[in-house]
Amino acid sequence: MDTSSRPADGGSGTRYIVIGAGAIGGTIGARMAEAGHEVVLVARGTQYAALKSGGLRFRAPDGERVHRLPVVDAPETLGALRATDVLVLTVKTQDCEGALDTWGQAPVEGGGTAAERLPVVCAQNGVESQRIALRRFRHVYGVCVWLPATFVEPGVVSASGAPLSGILHLGRHPHGIDDTVRRIAADLETARFEAPVVPDVARWQYAKLLGNLANAIDALSGPVPGDGGRRLYAQVRTEGETVLEAAGIPYASAQEQHDARGAKVQWAQGGGGSSWQSLARGTGTIEADFLNGEIVLLGRLYGVPTPIQAVSLPEGGLSSGISSTTREIGAVLRPALSGPWTRDHAPAEPAGTDLSRPSRLLPTRPKLIQGLLQV
């Protein structure tokens, strides 16, 4: 089905400018457009070219369709922003500083800039992007994103969740609730999302961070199977929990998360997480410095060893390509690797994946698991 870029009746009158039309941004943009809200997608490179030429091909359990939405690569294309616009930041954290600088300077009708007048909603993994945003924007909102989606092919986004596409806890950063976040949540709930408004959104984000600590391992090796894998992931999580508790940072319990989510978002397993998707697209960076790296940083601040997350962050970091934390995890993995890689050891590969990339030639083996468990 091919849909028009014209919003349907029923929109709230707010225009949502989604900065980063990847897995999360593409899903939010597509679902909001389907619910009748006005949406502009912001992209760059091959994704921008694909969206401009062929629209956003959105695949979901309820079917596949093409959304021909307005697409820009810079705020100048839109002219002065509207005073009722909402910026939704969905780029990876390592890319958000540049995006915030660019869009923060955009003029708004009636005077002032986006950074001074418009809300920016940070819908990303980790907790760092909203801190970066608050240095530039007056009105910052955090989101705990629980939304299974995949983006490995330009112009194509797959969202596998059903009956809802995702659950998005929202709140002001650093804390609180206001009418703006209530209005945004109400719009999201018309678009196949549950959007609880909470005064302590960071508590949910830190809980999600604990689950994201295994992303870099999955990206480098594929999911680790069996009892060894469960032990490894438990140790990764326990290390993170120990650090958060030492820092006095509250987080939602596993039971609380389970109760909130229930069976509202179910999906077929397969493919890879967000870090794996970045490697599959050949971006050269993943967000481990803002996931595992957050735990490493807190561990250093509060005197808690973090050997599994990586005890050293070399100079260069993200500027030198793949994240430094991931290189440290890789340094643990590589000595344990032996024997040929086979596809039996990797997760299902979404369409368009280049299997020649070195990152996909890392086997998942018992020896690899033992290497990590002995750190």
Side-chain angles (χ1 to χ4, degrees), residues 9-23:
D9 292 339
S12 65
T14 298
R15 181 173 64 174
Y16 288 89
I17 301 174
V18 182
I19 305 171

Side-chain angles (χ1 to χ4, degrees), residues 44-117:
R44 60 184 181 179
T46 57
Q47 179 69 341
Y48 172 76
L51 295 176
K52 286 290 284 186
S53 62
L56 172 63
R57 184 170 297 277
F58 180 64
R59 296 170 176 164
D62 56 327
E64 177 176 323
R65 52 279 209 184
V66 176
H67 291 285
R68 299 190 179 276
L69 301 169
V71 183
V72 302
D73 59 0
E76 292 79 11
T77 308
L78 294 176
L81 302 182
R82 303 172 191 168
T84 55
D85 283 342
V86 171
L87 306 182
V88 183
L89 186 69
T90 58
V91 298
K92 293 292 193 295
T93 303
Q94 62 267 28
D95 298 319
C96 76
E97 192 165 358
L100 288 165
D101 284 341
T102 296
W103 285 87
Q105 298 171 20
V108 178
E109 292 174 350
T113 64
E116 294 168 335
R117 297 185 56 195

Side-chain angles (χ1 to χ4, degrees), residues 188-259:
L188 287 167
E189 292 206 333
T190 67
R192 291 183 182 255
F193 298 106
E194 184 169 289
V197 175
V198 293
D200 53 354
V201 67
R203 194 170 67 88
W204 292 89
Q205 291 173 311
Y206 276 106
K208 175 74 175 343
L209 172 65
L210 292 172
N212 287 140
L213 295 178
N215 284 17
I217 297 170
D218 284 348
L220 287 170
S221 69
V224 183
D227 291 340
R230 283 187 286 274
R231 286 176 54 211
L232 170 59
Y233 294 138
Q235 282 199 291
V236 169
R237 182 183 179 90
T238 298
E239 190 174 89
E241 289 176 343
T242 301
V243 167
L244 294 185
E245 288 162 8
I249 296 174
Y251 56 91
S253 68
Q255 186 61 51
E256 190 175 3
Q257 294 177 80
H258 179 269
D259 291 345

Side-chain angles (χ1 to χ4, degrees), residues 88-321:
V88 183
L89 186 69
T90 58
V91 298
K92 293 292 193 295
T93 303
Q94 62 267 28
D95 298 319
C96 76
E97 192 165 358
L100 288 165
D101 284 341
T102 296
W103 285 87
Q105 298 171 20
V108 178
E109 292 174 350
T113 64
E116 294 168 335
R117 297 185 56 195
L118 299 186
V120 60
V121 178
C122 298
Q124 297 140 305
N125 287 332
V127 296
E128 182 63 21
S129 66
Q130 54 210 17
R131 298 173 187 156
I132 297 172
L134 199 58
R135 291 178 178 271
R136 295 159 173 81
F137 280 72
R138 289 183 181 175
H139 308 290
V140 177
Y141 300 83
V143 183
C144 175
V145 179
W146 203 66
L147 194 170
T150 305
F151 165 50
V152 294
E153 179 183 349
V156 181
V157 168
S158 299
S160 55
L164 297 178
S165 289
I167 300 177
L168 309 172
H169 285 77
L170 298 93
R172 280 192 68 95
H173 178 74
H175 50 74
I177 295 171
D178 62 15
D179 289 342
T180 297
V181 75
R182 292 189 185 96
R183 172 169 51 85
I184 294 168
D187 284 350
L188 287 167
E189 292 206 333
T190 67
R192 291 183 182 255
F193 298 106
E194 184 169 289
V197 175
V198 293
D200 53 354
V201 67
R203 194 170 67 88
W204 292 89
Q205 291 173 311
Y206 276 106
K208 175 74 175 343
L209 172 65
L210 292 172
N212 287 140
L213 295 178
N215 284 17
I217 297 170
D218 284 348
L220 287 170
S221 69
V224 183
D227 291 340
R230 283 187 286 274
R231 286 176 54 211
L232 170 59
Y233 294 138
Q235 282 199 291
V236 169
R237 182 183 179 90
T238 298
E239 190 174 89
E241 289 176 343
T242 301
V243 167
L244 294 185
E245 288 162 8
I249 296 174
Y251 56 91
S253 68
Q255 186 61 51
E256 190 175 3
Q257 294 177 80
H258 179 269
D259 291 345
R261 293 166 180 166
K264 300 170 186 174
V265 183
Q266 301 185 55
W267 73 99
Q269 299 293 336
S274 58
S275 296
W276 179 87
Q277 293 174 42
S278 293
L279 291 181
R281 295 198 309 276
T283 63
T285 64
I286 65 175
E287 57 194 339
D289 277 353
F290 302 102
L291 303 177
N292 307 83
E294 178 71 19
I295 298 300
V296 172
L297 172 61
L298 289 171
R300 289 175 176 174
L301 288 172
Y302 293 93
V304 180
T306 56
I308 297 180
Q309 312 303 329
V311 296
S312 173
L313 296 177
E315 291 187 26
L318 295 170
S319 63
S320 60

